Structure formats: structure tokens, C-alpha cells
Amino acid sequence: MEKVQRRATKLAPDLRKLSYIDRFNKMDLTNLQIRRQIVDFIQMFKIVNKLEIVNLVNDLCLNTEKRKYDLRSHNRTIYREKMKYFQPRFNFLANRIATAWNKLPTDIVYAQSLKSFKAKLDFWFNITAQLLINITLQHSY
């Protein structure tokens, strides 16, 4: 998909002679990896808050206990499944997103509605992920 996006950015005549990173920034595009992660976050928010009922093979392992100390993470942490030999399970939603979900700020995870979750998530990604986008683009170029 990244190749398709790279080719599509060359279709703009004014930006054709710029490098891919410059075209990407001028067109204000989102990296496909970041876009997939945002969609995964939204889906996980719906599952955790029971906005969507999903029949998972193994139930989602959530830590909802009240902690003695309020440390850096929130109380809705997701546990990854422990597996050794079944490679396709690594790509399941809960396993794919667990580490990133657990690093989200508390105010995003405890958003009151899906709309506020999306707004807070978008704001957070605009601030923090811009560095990741530039690093990813430089390494993929």
C-alpha cells in the first residue's frame, strides 16, 4: 500500500519533482502504519466500552483492578496472549495493539464517548506521531 501512496503523490503536477518525504508533508498525509494503528485503537475502544460486541475466540484479557498506587498506566491495560508456536495469533487485534494501547494517556482511554476518544486520539497523534512519521519515511525511502 505504501507503494500505491508513493505513486499517487506523484500525480500532483506541482509536487512531482519533490522528494517523497516533502510531497508527503505538503499533502498533509498520514502514514499507512499510523492510520492502521488509529483504526485499531478505535476498534479496541469500542470493544472495551462494549459499544460493539465481538465474539473473540479467547476473551480479551483486561486489567480492570483498582491499583494501590496510581502509576503511569491506566487501569484498562490489555494483556497479550502468550504463545510460542502459532504465528498467526500475533496478528490478532488484541495482540497487535496491546503494547501501544497500554502506553496511551489515561484521559484518552477514559474518554466519555467515541467522538471524544477520536478527537483526543487525533490530537495526541498530531503531537507525538509526527516524529514517528518523519523517522519512518526516512527509513523507508
Side-chain angles (χ1 to χ4, degrees):
M1 281 304 278
E2 195 76 34
K3 289 180 183 179
V4 173
Q5 189 168 346
R6 183 183 301 260
R7 179 72 183 122
T9 58
K10 285 186 177 181
L11 295 176
D14 299 339
L15 306 176
R16 197 171 285 162
K17 294 186 179 184
L18 296 175
S19 69
Y20 176 59
I21 297 169
D22 294 335
R23 287 192 312 263
F24 195 84
N25 290 330
K26 283 260 191 204
M27 296 177 99
D28 198 29
L29 296 174
T30 306
N31 187 337
L32 294 175
Q33 293 169 341
I34 301 289
R35 198 174 320 159
R36 179 180 184 187
Q37 194 169 27
I38 289 172
V39 171
D40 286 347
F41 280 140
I42 292 168
Q43 185 63 37
M44 188 55 66
F45 180 82
K46 290 177 184 179
I47 293 170
V48 167
N49 292 302
K50 295 179 177 51
L51 299 175
E52 263 185 26
I53 299 189
V54 178
N55 294 327
L56 300 170
V57 174
N58 296 338
D59 287 333
L60 189 64
C61 296
L62 274 175
N63 176 22
T64 57
E65 297 174 3
K66 187 79 172 166
R67 295 186 182 164
K68 188 174 181 180
Y69 301 105
D70 185 21
L71 300 174
R72 296 180 188 188
S73 65
H74 46 81
N75 286 345
R76 291 184 181 171
T77 56
I78 300 170
Y79 294 116
R80 291 179 57 107
E81 289 182 66
K82 292 183 180 176
M83 68 208 90
K84 272 189 176 178
Y85 304 111
F86 197 58
Q87 186 67 25
R89 297 257 341 150
F90 283 111
N91 296 324
F92 283 18
L93 177 67
N95 295 328
R96 187 173 64 225
I97 199 171
T99 306
W101 175 268
N102 295 340
K103 290 180 182 179
L104 279 177
T106 306
D107 63 322
I108 296 175
V109 174
Y110 289 112
Q112 296 297 316
S113 66
L114 181 60
K115 188 174 181 178
S116 66
F117 176 78
K118 288 179 181 180
K120 289 177 182 183
L121 187 65
D122 189 42
F123 181 74
W124 183 74
F125 262 106
N126 284 338
I127 290 173
T128 59
Q130 192 61 38
L131 296 171
L132 294 174
I133 290 170
N134 290 333
I135 290 169
T136 305
L137 287 176
Q138 288 172 354
H139 289 294
S140 68
Y141 191 30

